[in-house]
Amino acid sequence: DIQKLSHYIPDFSIEVFELEKTDVKKKFDQLTLRIFLELIQKIRADVDDFRPVFLGILKELSQVETEAKKVEILEKLLHYLFNVREKEEKEFRDVSYYQVEGLGGAFMTIMDEIRLEGEQKGKLEGKLEDAEKMLNEKIDISVILRVTGLKESDLRKRGLL
């Protein structure tokens, strides 16, 4: 309730606006908020329209003063980008397109981490699928665990046991 919050925070207010029609750069002073809102605002655009927007966001990000904060924001941006636009992930892995001063090393490191996370997730999914097939063939659980390298808890989380 706004009235209750206004009692504790005198200058509290809520502003509702249509993000699609808002000039985020003019409306918000805080760089981090502006960067994320710009990404959210344009995330569904087609690849050719989105690439220059994304490049602009990365250039803005290079203005962040501390390296740790820059890397933290970049990591969140890339994770969000790849979760929402996963079918076009390859389009944004072309790092040569995004050679933005002050982000090159961080960009590459985060891209490698995201790629590794994806590979690990894929390997686990493959092992779980294999375990499910072996369970359907009535193979002993101890053999399945030994062959796949999975733990019994992995199979329970997947609902296989």
Side-chain angles (χ1 to χ4, degrees), residues 5 7-8 17 37 46 67 76 101 104 106 111 114 124 137 155:
L5 288 172
H7 176 73
Y8 296 104
F17 59 92
L37 288 177
D46 68 40
E67 189 67 23
K76 289 176 184 174
E101 189 174 321
M111 293 296 285
I114 291 171
L124 177 62
E137 294 293 325
L155 299 179

Side-chain angles (χ1 to χ4, degrees), residues 17-31:
F17 59 92
E18 194 171 341
L19 183 59
E20 190 174 311
K21 296 178 180 178
T22 302
D23 186 348
V24 175
K25 290 181 182 181
K26 289 181 181 175
K27 187 161 185 70
F28 300 101
D29 294 331
Q30 187 185 18
L31 181 64

Side-chain angles (χ1 to χ4, degrees), residues 34-48:
R34 204 170 60 231
I35 286 171
F36 279 100
L37 288 177
E38 282 180 72
L39 182 65
I40 292 167
Q41 191 176 46
K42 302 294 184 183
I43 194 77
R44 301 276 181 212
D46 68 40
V47 174
D48 292 333

